[in-house]
Amino acid sequence: MNLEGNETTSPRRLSGFALPTILIASIIMLTVLLAAVTSTSSVRAALTAQYYNQLSQNAGESGNAFAKYCLSQNNGIPQWTDEKPLMPNTDCSGNVTHACSGSTDPLCAVMVSGNTMTTFSIGASQVALSGWRQVATSVNHSCGITYESLAYCWGNNNYGILGDGTNSSTNVPVPVNTTSGDSDLYGRTIKSVAVGQSHSCAIADDSIVYCWGYNGEGQLGRTTASQYNNLPKAVSMVNGTSDLYGKKVRQISAAFNNTCVIADDSQVYCWGYNNLGQVGNNDEPNDAYAPKAVYTTGTPMSGKKIVSISTGDFVTCAISADNLIFCWGTNGAGQLGIGSWGGTSDIPVAVNMAGVLAGKTIKAVSVGEMHVCALAADRVGALGTQVYCWGNNTDGQLGDGSDTSSNVPVAVLTAGTPLAGKDIVSISAGEASTCAVASDSQVYCWGLNTSGELGTGVANSGSWTALAVSTTGVLDNKFVMSIEGNLRTRCVVASDSQAYCWGYNNLGQTGGTAGSNSLSPVAVNTVGVPGGKVNEITSIGTTNLLRESNGETWRKFTRKSRLSRSEYIWKQVASGSGYHTCAIASDSKAYCWGNNDDGQLGDNDATYVNKLTPVPVDTSGVLRGKAIKSITTGYDHTCVIASDSKAYCWGGNSNGALGNNSTAESRVPVAVYTGTAGSPGALYGKTLVSIAAFIETTCAIASDSKAYCWGYDSSGQLGNSAPNDGSYSSVPVAVDTSVALSGKGVVAISEGSEWTLAIATDGNAYSWGNNGSGELGNSLGPTDSNVPVQVTNTGALSGKSVLSIDAGGHFGCAIASDSNAYCWGINAEGHLGDNNSPTQRSFPVAVYTSGALSGKKILSISSAYNHSCVIASDSKIYCWGSNDSGQLGDSTTTDNDEAVAVVTTGVLSGLNINSVIAGNYFNYVIGSNGKAYSWGQNSYGQLGNDAIPASGSSVPVDTFAPNYAEYSF
């Protein structure tokens, strides 16, 4: 070693003296030792720090273990706060249980050893919600994309426009089907979504467009017109048929009954309705059933690269890379912006840029029903980006302070309005109104307001100038990031990554309770979004090094360890003719509770013990890796449709209710029989869209829009024309379609006590099976029928279509197109709610509306063995019928043959009701907070509230959420 950085082998002279060789060797050795000591000290310091940090982590994990215990004791809900954190000397609520005698008190630490003490502290949890990247809305429904790139839709679903494989409308987001093999979106994620009046489309991760919903004018782009598809299907990309062949799609816009996209060649392609030239392919009025290139030869758009597009009901407009706007379609109100009125153009024309748009950069365009607005920026000027509109202005939708229409762009008025001094970030044109997000990240609207589309919180006819959308309530202290709208509904994504909507809401398209328009923004319900809320609990573990003399902290090491748990919220609850309840939670898994005598809880409990709180259904077998889409319960069995769109059942099976070609009961899920290619069953090659069970019979609707049933057939309830001899079928059989259902599809189905009720595609109800009490509703009786017969559509139902149904024990009920309820069958305890018990009816009669239901519309209905409950347009619950177990929820046990209001002063206080399910002598509802509440009989623990089984309730009580058994770090 060279101490001075020179030689390393020859002796050195120091101050004129030569050092002996042995001394030199000693010096070298000493230097090595010093270096080693220095190195060892560094290693020791590093190891010491690592050791203390490990102690801190151990302390933090001890805190996590304590938090887990506390969560398990409080149904997964943290009881501590930041002011009262969890510590070694507290209880689960953060209350101090031991006053520390000093910093080394072992009862205030995880470990005290010498001059080392470790401890932990856990404050209040941070809640994160599943977020939205985009929300799009139309006149009847809305769709959104989450940060997980999954699509969800809500609102009207008459033509399958929600894309979930059903035709059931909902105000709660349901996932667009990407999990079953018959969906072309199987396994894909979503990049962008667009919605029309009765169809929806999305761009997937393969840059191909997939559409679903109504297809009467070819708006699904699948080469032919058809009634509808309720599952996503790819738009045609066939060479020679589709002009999109070989291209990738970058941007999409949909409206009314047509769709347009921009492809990777920067050109526009459209398909669908073309009565006014809105497809732009020079072929008016012929509809386009496959994507067609917009015609540009000899037009102002020839040779232009298109960067943005917006499709309205009758006009489509595009922006080119050189800041020009081109439109095509109708010009009746001057909405082509070309300086003239009337006529149509099925090829692009240039919007007049010589006036207020001269010299401006076009940033965005939005097409309404009969007007168009553009976002433009001054190249030079103080104000930057403003809004300019043209077309119809009878309701002030141009925002220029007048009601005078214009066939050229005019500037939206800002002086003297809330827009003064603000730049505009984004715009959305609707039916007769316009909204904009300004530079203060707030929304301003103008135009028509008859459905609350201005979002001001005030009901009025509208405004010719901009008004501020209300931020009192859900948008308080939030910034708006983006806005989309169509006709009378608007939706925004705010800074909390949540979606908020307002305006027209007859079918729940704002994501709030259906039936009542929203005059101000409401939060889109997140019940249908998997994951729900996530509580992130941070445990801070510390290691303190203490002075022996006075115990003061000398040094502290901190290590954070995060504990996350999902706060499950309910998506669907099912309670049928038995004494158990099952539900789907936000993790898309099934949970059951109550009676378990025949394994109907599906929890693989060999002791068949009843459960007073929800337990998870076994997923180690046929349900492994599958999500649950829908669930139904019979007397002693349960069935689901899983993410593969197949049925699985468990529980009692003496009459084949499990449909698995056996009569042996099962305490774990088994697959419903479909057969093989060599020996196909009735369901072979088909997927299922809905399922219903009651007593010992199960029925389902398959992808061919036909009904299939299995189980007990005592009165012909299987509907397959087999003799009514009390036999059964342990495999699915097809319901007869040769007579009443000839040429018709089935869109909804419900099981009663030995009879079945359905809605067909003609809007009428059909029934089969037992008719001893007039439950078939066919004005005949008491003759049973082993094939479908039509429910009488004269009298009370004359001129009305049936929107939804539910079969009770020996009676049936329906909601008709006038938003009123109608029932028929037995009426001994007021089952029909017509204020006329005990007179039974073999034909539908109107539910009495002069009492508690006066002035209210009926949004949904659920009927059980001897009572019914509905959600009305005030988002409250009303029930009628038998009440011996308090199932009417009015705090009495008195039967009632007209609707009474369920008590809302307790756990339901301040809540709207999202869904209701009537069980056998009890009921469940899901509130707007995603939690479940129940009332009525509890003899088997079916209320799920961990109460003594015999203790029922005549008013709603809390139901326990699923146990939180899984945590992640």
Side-chain angles (χ1 to χ4, degrees), residues 31-188:
T31 305
V32 170
L33 290 173
L34 287 173
V37 169
T38 302
S39 176
T40 301
S41 297
S42 299
V43 170
R44 181 179 297 151
L47 290 175
T48 300
Q50 181 179 350
Y51 169 68
Y52 288 138
N53 277 315
Q54 183 62 49
L55 290 179
S56 296
Q57 182 172 347
N58 292 344
E61 290 175 353
S62 296
N64 283 337
F66 188 28
K68 284 185 181 182
Y69 167 78
C70 291
L71 290 172
S72 68
Q73 297 300 300
N74 292 295
N75 194 39
I77 307 301
Q79 303 297 310
W80 62 91
T81 65
D82 281 336
E83 293 74 22
K84 297 169 64 177
L86 287 185
M87 299 179 71
N89 63 320
T90 69
D91 62 15
C92 287
S93 296
N95 298 314
V96 174
T97 58
H98 171 76
C100 300
S101 59
S103 59
T104 59
D105 189 334
L107 296 180
C108 295
V110 175
M111 178 195 75
V112 176
S113 177
N115 70 341
T116 304
M117 183 189 77
T118 63
T119 186
F120 63 80
S121 177
I122 303 176
S125 60
Q126 296 180 339
V127 177
L129 295 172
S130 296
W132 299 96
R133 286 198 293 108
Q134 181 203 354
V135 176
T137 185
S138 182
V139 64
N140 292 320
H141 73 297
S142 303
C143 294
I145 304 173
T146 68
Y147 277 108
E148 293 79 20
S149 297
L150 300 175
Y152 294 81
C153 296
W154 56 96
N156 181 39
N157 200 23
N158 282 351
Y159 295 102
I161 54 180
L162 303 188
D164 65 338
T166 77
N167 296 84
S168 301
S169 300
T170 175
N171 64 323
V172 176
V174 294
V176 173
N177 192 306
T178 60
T179 57
S180 63
D182 50 356
S183 167
D184 286 357
L185 276 177
Y186 178 76
R188 299 209 169 275

Side-chain angles (χ1 to χ4, degrees), residues 171 505-507 513-516 803-804 815 819-820 856-861 870-876 913:
N171 64 323
N505 190 40
N506 65 322
L507 294 165
T513 303
S516 179
L803 301 181
S804 65
I815 300 175
S819 297
N820 288 316
K856 300 178 179 70
K857 296 180 179 180
I858 305 302
L859 304 182
S860 67
I861 190 167
V870 298
I871 301 176
S873 51
D874 60 354
S875 300
K876 305 301 181 187
I913 303 302

Side-chain angles (χ1 to χ4, degrees), residues 10 108 147 202 247 624 863 926 962:
S10 61
C108 295
Y147 277 108
K247 300 177 178 66
R624 180 185 293 274
S863 299
I926 298 177

Side-chain angles (χ1 to χ4, degrees), residues 793-818:
N793 63 355
T794 57
L797 282 181
S798 180
K800 304 176 182 72
S801 57
V802 176
L803 301 181
S804 65
I805 53 170
D806 205 13
H810 295 281
F811 68 102
C813 290
I815 300 175
S817 50
D818 62 353

Side-chain angles (χ1 to χ4, degrees), residues 483-534:
I483 185 169
E484 291 198 42
N486 193 303
L487 296 180
R488 300 184 181 184
T489 306
R490 292 290 192 289
C491 290
V492 299
V493 176
S495 51
D496 59 354
S497 296
Q498 298 306 295
Y500 302 89
C501 301
W502 63 91
Y504 195 45
N505 190 40
N506 65 322
L507 294 165
Q509 50 268 56
T510 66
T513 303
S516 179
N517 293 336
S518 300
L519 300 181
S520 57
V522 297
V524 172
N525 201 320
T526 58
V527 170
V529 182
K533 299 178 180 179
V534 175

Side-chain angles (χ1 to χ4, degrees), residues 33 166 181 183 234 298 314 334 340 511 549 673 739 774 790 807 817 926 936:
L33 290 173
T166 77
S183 167
F314 308 109
S340 65
S549 58
Y673 180 81
V739 187
Q790 183 173 329
S817 50
I926 298 177

Side-chain angles (χ1 to χ4, degrees), residues 76 531-535 564-568 586-587 962 964 966-967:
K533 299 178 180 179
V534 175
N535 288 69
S564 298
R565 72 166 181 88
S566 292
E567 183 179 316
Y568 295 149
S586 58
D587 61 352
Y964 302 104
E966 296 183 1
Y967 300 87

